[in-house]
Amino acid sequence: MTDHTLETIDYNNIASQDAEVISAREYEDATRTVVRTLGKHANCDVLFAGDDACVGLTKTGNRIVQLPSNPPDKMMTKKEYFIGQGFANHETLHNLCTDIVGTAPKIEGFIKHKQHFTKALANCIEDMRIERAGCELYPGMSTKLDATAQFASEHFLAMEEDR
């Protein structure tokens, strides 16, 4: 990593957000450690693939956090790093705090009936629940979850505008 501090994102200082601070390879290595440590009791691992962040189960029944992949030598900005770490924390919290198997039929029903906004709203409510629990379990998590929440909120609002 370079000499930049990753402590906080100053959203009023664009230069601070846009400073390249870590390679994608370094980010993935650090994120694997975080997910495996936080998700240890849920047998949680991480997979970097595709463009989305989500959770799931492996064929052996272990829990998985899937996060977007980047070219290994890509340099990530401070903002990208915080958002990525927030997604890793967030999806790991789903593995720890959400009854994924129990809620799957309801979510599948929303999808089947094309209730995409209802599905997104239900997910937002669950997201708030698990993030509150995560901040109680791991107080240092809130900064990165805040960065991710801002990013996700912007995308959620854009989804409504596109309807």
Side-chain angles (χ1 to χ4, degrees):
M1 287 190 349
T2 60
D3 294 335
H4 298 285
T5 301
L6 296 174
E7 303 279 323
T8 59
I9 293 179
D10 179 357
Y11 284 102
N12 296 318
N13 181 348
I14 300 301
S16 170
Q17 293 180 54
D18 294 336
E20 292 180 341
V21 295
I22 191 169
S23 72
R25 181 178 293 118
E26 291 170 318
Y27 161 76
E28 288 184 11
D29 288 345
T31 301
R32 276 190 192 90
T33 301
V34 169
V35 169
R36 289 174 179 163
T37 301
L38 295 177
K40 181 174 140 182
H41 297 296
N43 294 323
C44 190
D45 206 349
V46 66
L47 169 69
F48 291 93
D51 297 323
D52 296 321
C54 60
V55 295
L57 296 172
T58 65
K59 292 179 183 178
T60 60
N62 291 342
R63 294 179 180 263
I64 193 89
V65 169
Q66 179 179 320
L67 298 169
S69 63
N70 290 294
D73 295 330
K74 176 191 186 289
M75 290 302 292
M76 297 176 69
T77 65
K78 189 177 200 180
K79 183 176 182 179
E80 290 170 328
Y81 170 79
F82 268 60
I83 291 169
Q85 285 287 292
F87 272 115
N89 292 339
H90 174 89
E91 298 303 339
T92 302
L93 288 172
H94 270 303
N95 278 318
L96 297 173
C97 303
T98 299
D99 178 7
I100 296 169
V101 174
T103 58
K106 192 67 167 169
I107 298 299
E108 289 167 8
F110 292 147
I111 294 168
K112 179 181 176 184
H113 294 91
K114 299 185 186 317
Q115 295 173 302
H116 303 294
F117 190 74
T118 303
K119 175 191 162 278
L121 186 57
N123 189 59
C124 285
I125 292 167
E126 179 64 2
D127 288 350
M128 289 186 296
R129 188 187 73 78
I130 66 161
E131 288 183 4
R132 178 165 171 83
C135 289
E136 288 178 22
L137 289 169
Y138 307 104
M141 195 179 272
S142 63
T143 302
K144 293 180 181 80
L145 288 174
D146 286 346
T148 305
Q150 180 173 342
F151 174 83
S153 296
E154 290 167 2
H155 286 273
F156 182 76
L157 293 172
M159 182 182 95
E160 178 58 18
E161 289 175 6
D162 291 343
R163 288 175 31 104

